[in-house]
């Protein structure tokens, strides 16, 4: 193992340095401001999309249905039976459903979830019905009912929380393939990297913290007990909030000789307070959108060249159903703030809300996904570009929130495990898109948003091609990078 000043690889490589040189003219703040001078004013509290409204309706109908069932039990002729097991089963299924609707988990409600909800409702009413016909006193009937209640809870966790898994990757099935994963030293990214490496792939850890990345790489080697060799894991520093760091990463990666076949854009932040990146951009948008946009532009020529040699590159973007949150994209969030102290102070005093900023950045991810897919197809390329929603996952995404929220998250973590995915489960959809042979080219599908390993419908805001094209143009100018597509 050799360590250079800018790059660390588990396999032996010479020490190296790479200095980023940008010959293009830097972007001035006025460039992006001119785009927003005549911009329609978007209210701070952006109206929610039709998908969010539909989720609220679904939750309201669910609550009213349970209330109606309880009322029917109370006023039953022979009295209602409030069996604890039935109440727990029904409460769990409807509780998870309403909780997930809060995070726009069900943009489209599949039939098997409707059937599960109906089954939970039936389990709540069954004891009262059996009491009415004189069968509830029978212990055998009670045991059957309780067994059904347990089955409903298990099915609810499996179908609603965990979701479907990716196809099993055989030992050595990914040997010879290289994956670049941003932000993979912990959480979903770590589990993705571990699974890919365990199947024989080379994984590039594109992370900010060298110490955390190296610790994660060491942990993977230990946990995989001989299945993963040290030379399969490569660390190259990357901070997606910094354009200089992104360009340096691309240069260092080229010098290592590693040729990536798949990009997994996993890094992301959710910040509780407004802050600025080194390039004068709102930090959430800079990290979640602009940095990944520039990274793709830097690596896309290599992917196109690999495709020309008969390989099947892919681009997987880890997005979120928070992209459904708003009914429009606020281009004013793309403002580049100059180094002037007064301008920075005025910008920092603007109102800020965590989910507004995060939702807008994830809507930008979706627009980037669809626009990149369209441009690649227009160029004649079959590189698939798809976005995934990992679900509600117990990760470190809340590490930058208020200390009180972080503490509450730690306290209620055992309870949350019944409602939220583990990082391993959160990586299922990413692995599905990155490895499923049926998704190796855009012939099957591209420019899609996947939820639970299946494409989900886009909102009206998310499917607006004009907005996506305009965001692309602005992103090129902000990053000072002209795309090859």
């Amino acid at each position: 193992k050799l360590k250079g000043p800018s790059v660390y690889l588990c396999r032996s490589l010479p020490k190296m340095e790479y200095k980023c040189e940008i010959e293009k003219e830097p972007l001035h703040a006025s460039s992006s401001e001119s785009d927003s001078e005549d911009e329609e004013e978007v209210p701070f509290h952006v109206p929610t999309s039709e998908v969010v409204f539909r989720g609220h309706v679904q939750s309201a109908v669910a609550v009213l249905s349970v209330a109606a069932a309880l009322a029917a039990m109370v006023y039953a002729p022979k009295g209602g039976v409030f069996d604890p097991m039935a109440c727990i089963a029904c409460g769990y299924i409807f509780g998870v459903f309403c909780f997930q609707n809060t995070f726009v988990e069900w943009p489209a409600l599949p039939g098997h979830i409707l059937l599960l909800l109906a089954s939970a409702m039936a389990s709540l009413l069954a004891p009262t019905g059996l009491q009415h016909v004189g069968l509830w006193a029978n212990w055998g009937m009670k045991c059957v009912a309780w067994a059904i209640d347990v089955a409903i809870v298990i099915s609810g966790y499996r179908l609603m929380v965990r979701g479907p898994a990716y196809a099993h990757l055989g030992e050595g099935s990914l040997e010879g393939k290289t994956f670049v994963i941003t932000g993979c030293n912990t959480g979903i990214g770590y589990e993705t990297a571990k699974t890919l490496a365990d199947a024989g792939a080379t994984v590039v850890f594109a992370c900010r913290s060298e110490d955390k990345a190296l610790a994660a790489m060491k942990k993977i080697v230990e946990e995989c007990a001989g299945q993963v060799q040290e030379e399969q894991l490569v660390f190259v520093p990357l901070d997606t909030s910094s354009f200089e760091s992104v360009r340096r990463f691309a240069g260092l990666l080229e010098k290592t000789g590693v040729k990536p076949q798949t990009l997994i854009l996993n890094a992301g932040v959710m910040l509780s307070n407004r802050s600025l990146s080194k390039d004068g951009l709102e930090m959430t948008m800079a990290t979640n959108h602009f940095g990944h946009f520039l990274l793709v532009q830097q690596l896309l020529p290599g992917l196109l060249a690999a495709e020309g040699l008969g390989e099947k590159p892919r681009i997987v973007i880890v997005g979120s159903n928070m992209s459904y949150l708003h009914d429009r994209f606020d281009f004013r969030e793309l403002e580049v703030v100059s180094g002037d102290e007064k301008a920075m102070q005025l910008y920092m005093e603007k109102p800020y809300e965590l989910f507004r900023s995060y939702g807008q950045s994830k809507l930008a991810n979706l627009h980037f996904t669809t626009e990149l897919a369209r441009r690649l197809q227009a160029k004649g390329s079959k590189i698939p570009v798809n976005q995934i929603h990992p679900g509600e996952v117990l990760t470190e995404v809340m590490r930058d929130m208020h200390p009180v929220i972080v503490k509450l998250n730690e306290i209620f973590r055992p309870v949350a495990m019944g409602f939220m995915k583990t990082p391993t489960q959160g990586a299922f959809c990413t692995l599905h898109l990155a490895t499923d042979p049926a998704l190796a080219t855009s012939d099957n599908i591209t420019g899609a948003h996947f939820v639970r390993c299946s494409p989900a419908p886009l909102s009206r805001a998310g499917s607006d091609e004009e907005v996506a094209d305009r965001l692309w143009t602005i992103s090129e100018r902000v990053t000072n990078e002209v795309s090859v597509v």
Side-chain angles (χ1 to χ4, degrees):
K1 295 187 288 186
L2 296 179
K3 180 178 177 183
S6 300
V7 63
Y8 177 95
L9 289 86
C10 280
R11 64 165 169 261
S12 298
L13 286 174
K15 294 184 179 182
M16 58 189 69
E17 293 183 351
Y18 179 79
K19 184 177 180 181
C20 176
E21 296 182 359
I22 305 174
E23 299 178 353
K24 300 169 187 174
E25 289 297 321
L27 174 76
H28 298 290
S30 58
S31 299
S32 66
E33 289 168 358
S34 63
D35 283 294
S36 58
E37 286 177 356
D38 301 321
E39 186 72 39
E40 178 185 355
E41 186 70 32
V42 176
F44 178 72
H45 296 289
V46 184
T48 56
S49 72
E50 75 284 359
V51 179
V52 174
F53 176 76
R54 189 160 60 242
H56 292 334
V57 171
Q58 289 171 176
S59 293
V61 170
V63 171
L64 290 174
S65 298
V66 173
L70 293 174
M73 292 164 62
V74 169
Y75 294 104
K78 294 186 179 181
V81 179
F82 292 86
D83 178 62
M85 287 291 289
C87 290
I88 289 172
C90 185
Y92 177 71
I93 297 301
F94 279 84
V96 169
F97 180 69
C98 291
F99 168 76
Q100 291 179 334
N101 271 319
T102 303
F103 293 94
V104 209
E105 186 69 22
W106 300 106
L109 200 55
H112 66 275
I113 297 300
L114 288 171
L115 180 60
L116 184 61
L117 291 166
S119 300
M121 182 65 69
S123 74
L124 179 65
L125 295 170
T128 300
L130 293 171
Q131 171 86 351
H132 183 73
V133 297
L135 295 176
W136 186 245
N138 185 300
W139 277 99
M141 188 61 69
K142 286 184 178 181
C143 288
V144 170
W146 292 339
I148 293 174
D149 293 335
V150 172
I152 288 173
V153 171
I154 294 173
S155 298
Y157 179 80
R158 188 176 181 86
L159 296 175
M160 301 177 74
V161 179
R162 196 206 76 160
Y166 58 94
H168 176 69
L169 299 174
E171 183 180 342
S173 60
L174 298 179
E175 194 170 334
K177 296 185 181 297
T178 301
F179 295 77
V180 171
I181 309 177
T182 65
C184 60
N185 58 272
T186 187
I188 299 170
Y190 172 83
E191 296 297 335
T192 303
K194 177 182 174 182
T195 302
L196 295 172
D198 195 39
T202 297
V203 179
V204 177
F205 280 64
C207 307
R208 283 185 301 177
S209 170
E210 179 175 348
D211 291 340
K212 290 181 179 180
L214 299 184
M217 293 158 68
K218 181 180 178 181
K219 185 179 177 183
I220 287 176
V221 172
E222 292 173 352
E223 288 182 345
C224 292
Q227 288 295 107
V228 176
Q229 305 302 314
E230 291 184 347
E231 58 266 22
Q232 289 178 239
L233 308 178
V234 181
F235 166 70
V236 183
L238 172 65
D239 178 359
T240 57
S241 72
S242 166
F243 298 158
E244 180 184 4
S245 176
V246 173
R247 289 188 167 93
R248 184 185 299 116
F249 170 86
L252 288 170
L253 185 65
E254 183 179 3
K255 283 182 175 289
T256 66
V258 173
K259 304 292 185 182
Q261 282 87 35
T262 299
L263 307 184
I264 300 178
L265 310 183
N266 172 80
V269 296
M270 181 185 286
L271 304 176
S272 57
N273 297 299
R274 182 181 292 278
S275 60
L276 282 172
S277 71
K278 294 179 181 179
D279 303 289
L281 293 157
E282 192 278 312
M283 184 63 82
T284 305
M285 189 67 74
T287 304
N288 296 358
H289 168 64
F290 282 116
H292 282 138
F293 176 90
L294 179 58
L295 178 63
V296 169
Q297 307 314 322
Q298 292 283 307
L299 302 185
L300 193 54
L303 296 181
L304 291 169
E307 184 184 27
L309 295 174
E311 297 180 10
K312 296 180 178 179
R314 312 186 196 199
I315 299 175
V316 180
I317 298 169
V318 179
S320 169
N321 275 6
M322 288 294 101
S323 61
Y324 289 117
L325 198 58
H326 302 129
D327 78 339
R328 69 194 71 173
F329 185 76
D330 186 3
F331 282 95
R332 291 177 183 270
E333 286 300 312
L334 308 182
E335 175 185 0
V336 180
V337 181
S338 67
D340 179 74
E341 186 175 339
K342 184 177 180 181
M344 292 179 66
Q345 182 179 352
L346 288 173
Y347 180 79
M348 295 300 291
E349 290 174 354
K350 290 174 62 177
Y352 179 87
E353 197 275 321
L354 182 151
F355 283 107
R356 184 190 195 277
S357 179
Y358 186 73
Q360 286 288 303
S361 74
K362 290 303 166 180
L363 183 53
N365 285 161
L366 180 58
H367 283 315
F368 173 48
T369 300
T370 57
E371 185 63 20
L372 177 58
R374 279 191 291 269
R375 288 173 179 253
L376 283 169
Q377 285 188 314
K379 190 178 178 65
S381 170
K382 292 188 176 182
I383 296 177
V385 185
N386 292 297
Q387 173 177 283
I388 70 101
H389 167 61
E392 285 69 59
V393 186
L394 287 165
T395 66
E396 295 183 7
V397 71
M398 292 193 288
R399 64 185 178 272
D400 296 311
M401 294 187 184
H402 193 280
V404 174
I405 297 177
V406 175
K407 189 63 178 178
L408 288 173
N409 178 56
E410 294 175 0
I411 294 172
F412 291 102
R413 193 177 185 87
V415 177
M417 290 179 70
F419 291 78
M420 301 175 73
K421 296 181 179 183
T422 64
T424 300
Q425 295 166 350
F428 285 173
C429 197
T430 302
L431 290 164
H432 173 64
L433 262 68
T435 62
D436 191 327
L439 303 175
T441 70
S442 60
D443 288 338
N444 192 332
I445 191 168
T446 188
H449 176 66
F450 277 71
V451 179
R452 289 182 170 81
C453 298
S454 297
L458 303 183
S459 65
R460 286 194 293 269
S463 56
D464 192 325
E465 295 185 12
E466 290 185 6
V467 170
D469 179 68
R470 182 180 174 196
L471 175 61
W472 182 283
T473 301
I474 293 175
S475 298
E476 282 186 316
R477 189 163 65 249
V478 169
T479 59
N480 224 359
E481 189 77 21
V482 178
S483 177
V484 296
V485 294

